[in-house]
Amino acid sequence: MTPAPSQRRTDIDWIRIGAFGVLILYHVGLVYAPWDWHVRSTHTIEALGLAALVTNPWRLTLLFMVSGVALRFMVRKTPPAQGFRQRLQRLVPPLLFGVLFLVPPQSWIEAMEKGSFHGGLTDWWLAEFSPEGLKDGVPLNHVWFVLYITVYSLAALALATSSRLFGWLETVLSRLLAGGRLLVVPMIYLALLRLLVFPWAGLTNHITDDPYNHAMSLGVFLTGFLLALRDDVWTRFERMRWTALAVAAASLPALIVLSQPIDQPPSTPANLVFAVYQWATICTVLGFGSRYLRGADGPALRYLTDAVFPCYLAHQTLLVIAAHLLKPLGLPVGAEAGLLILITLGGSLVVYEIVRRIDILRPLWGLRPRSKVT
């Protein structure tokens, strides 16, 4: 039986904020990583290739899962039709705004840095959105996540329109993940995807051609959506937290060793350990979060909960512009990286402080109109 809905889950809010924060810092690191990105510093930090293994397996998967949980709490007292409308109103404006105005400066700078374009930003924008340019698709860059969340949210809400089917799936999934199976079964699922789908499909972030990502990310999104209100499941996460932490701590060194060299496709053992570390870390975060952060409410949480999505939308554009402008200065790597972090995080908060005060801009940045903010 599904327990009665709890009060707002502050632990999920904190985890979502933390996951976005890790993601933003990860993007700063990509400026220095030993592989291609939108813009590169003159400095390369080889160790970042290994450091990325610490967060790569779980940061986005965790974010998709808590996004599913958050959606269930948002719509738990809302009719499906109203839920569809609310999600479209909240996500489509920032998606379109991001594609049209936040991503083009990034793509323009990348094209100039790589020598494939030499005109101005307006020329790039007109070429990108011309009939000829649209034949090659539109760059989404970091806004791909907003598109995926939009589609996944609509899929989850469509599933919820059948209360009988939804209730049956919720019960079956809860039983499937009973006891220690909460740790083991998702690992098996993720390992099968990593072993059987990832080698030929890869990770594209193109929504029409991304089977591995959908099987993984939509899978955990729907899992979070289905189980969000099951207090018995969250109790299991809490009980499993130390075991999950031990598994994650043991599997990370193994993953690093098995992933050598990092510029080669991962081996079968590496893919297997990847899945083990991935789910063990997610279980650890959810378990400790549920145990210690459920009552951690306050002004800081409410501020950051509102700010995190606009900051995500703004951060990569600010980062790419800052990296491009700082590169000719020839700063030491420490000073340059410190400035990039300051500009990216500080600038994103400045953007939030501006747009949250201007009613016409709020929907474009994923904020509800002030008259509807409680």
Side-chain angles (χ1 to χ4, degrees):
M1 186 177 75
T2 303
S6 308
Q7 294 181 348
R8 178 174 179 168
R9 290 289 298 272
T10 57
D11 56 322
I12 297 302
D13 290 334
W14 278 119
I15 291 170
R16 179 170 169 267
I17 292 164
F20 270 119
V22 168
L23 182 59
I24 291 173
L25 291 175
Y26 174 80
H27 284 163
V28 175
L30 290 180
V31 176
Y32 302 96
W35 53 74
D36 189 38
W37 199 57
H38 304 301
V39 61
R40 295 290 315 284
S41 170
T42 56
H43 307 286
T44 298
I45 304 175
E46 295 291 337
L48 285 176
L50 293 177
L53 290 173
V54 177
T55 65
N56 269 359
W58 55 265
R59 54 186 168 78
L60 282 171
T61 312
L62 174 64
L63 196 48
F64 276 113
M65 179 144 184
V66 297
S67 295
V69 175
L71 176 63
R72 181 71 181 279
F73 275 87
M74 289 177 198
V75 301
R76 66 189 186 276
K77 298 180 180 178
T78 302
Q82 185 178 347
F84 277 109
R85 185 170 63 254
Q86 289 176 349
R87 287 290 84 196
L88 291 173
Q89 290 174 343
R90 191 78 179 274
L91 294 173
V92 171
L95 174 61
L96 296 177
F97 177 71
V99 168
L100 292 173
F101 297 105
L102 295 179
V103 171
Q106 302 175 37
S107 303
W108 170 61
I109 288 173
E110 180 178 8
M112 289 198 303
E113 292 240 343
K114 296 178 179 178
S116 61
F117 191 81
H118 302 285
L121 176 57
T122 301
D123 297 326
W124 171 264
W125 196 96
L126 292 173
E128 194 66 46
F129 294 102
S130 68
E132 193 66 27
L134 291 173
K135 289 180 181 178
D136 299 326
V138 177
L140 292 177
N141 292 13
H142 68 302
V143 180
W144 74 268
F145 178 79
V146 184
L147 175 60
Y148 277 49
I149 285 292
T150 302
V151 174
Y152 291 177
S153 296
L154 298 181
L157 291 171
L159 183 63
T161 58
S162 174
S163 58
R164 178 175 296 182
L165 174 62
F166 188 85
W168 179 80
L169 287 173
E170 181 181 350
T171 301
V172 168
L173 186 58
S174 177
R175 291 174 179 172
L176 179 64
L177 300 180
R181 294 198 296 270
L182 179 66
L183 187 61
V184 176
V185 170
M187 282 182 184
I188 295 173
Y189 175 73
L190 293 170
L192 289 173
L193 292 180
R194 193 75 186 175
L195 293 170
L196 302 179
V197 183
F198 180 76
W200 61 267
L203 192 68
T204 70
N205 293 343
H206 297 152
I207 197 163
T208 58
D209 182 27
D210 206 5
Y212 168 72
N213 201 359
H214 292 321
M216 176 179 60
S217 300
L218 178 58
V220 296
F221 184 94
L222 291 177
T223 297
F225 187 72
L226 283 164
L227 301 181
L229 304 183
R230 301 282 313 204
D231 285 341
D232 54 332
V233 173
W234 291 101
T235 299
R236 289 175 220 160
F237 275 119
E238 292 185 25
R239 291 174 178 169
M240 197 68 63
R241 66 189 188 278
W242 288 108
T243 302
L245 177 60
V247 174
S251 56
L252 177 58
L255 177 62
I256 292 174
V257 171
L258 292 169
S259 298
Q260 302 294 334
I262 60 173
D263 59 346
Q264 296 298 316
S267 64
T268 295
N271 278 325
L272 181 61
V273 176
F274 183 103
V276 172
Y277 173 63
Q278 180 181 33
W279 185 249
T281 304
I282 291 171
C283 278
T284 301
V285 173
L286 295 177
F288 277 95
S290 179
R291 180 67 177 84
Y292 296 109
L293 295 176
R294 281 212 187 194
D297 201 356
L301 176 62
R302 291 189 287 272
Y303 178 85
L304 292 172
T305 298
D306 206 33
V308 66
F309 189 40
C311 285
Y312 174 77
L313 292 172
H315 87 276
Q316 190 161 298
T317 302
L318 294 173
L319 171 59
V320 169
I321 293 172
H324 177 67
L325 294 178
L326 288 176
K327 183 186 290 190
L329 302 182
L331 297 173
V333 61
E336 184 183 76
L339 281 173
L340 282 181
I341 293 172
L342 178 63
I343 292 169
T344 303
L345 292 178
S348 297
L349 287 172
V350 169
V351 169
Y352 167 66
E353 284 294 333
I354 293 172
V355 301
R356 77 187 185 104
R357 291 171 164 82
I358 304 174
D359 289 343
I360 196 173
L361 295 180
R362 289 180 64 92
L364 300 179
W365 293 86
L367 297 173
R368 295 187 299 272
R370 282 191 284 186
S371 59
K372 296 182 180 180
V373 177
T374 57

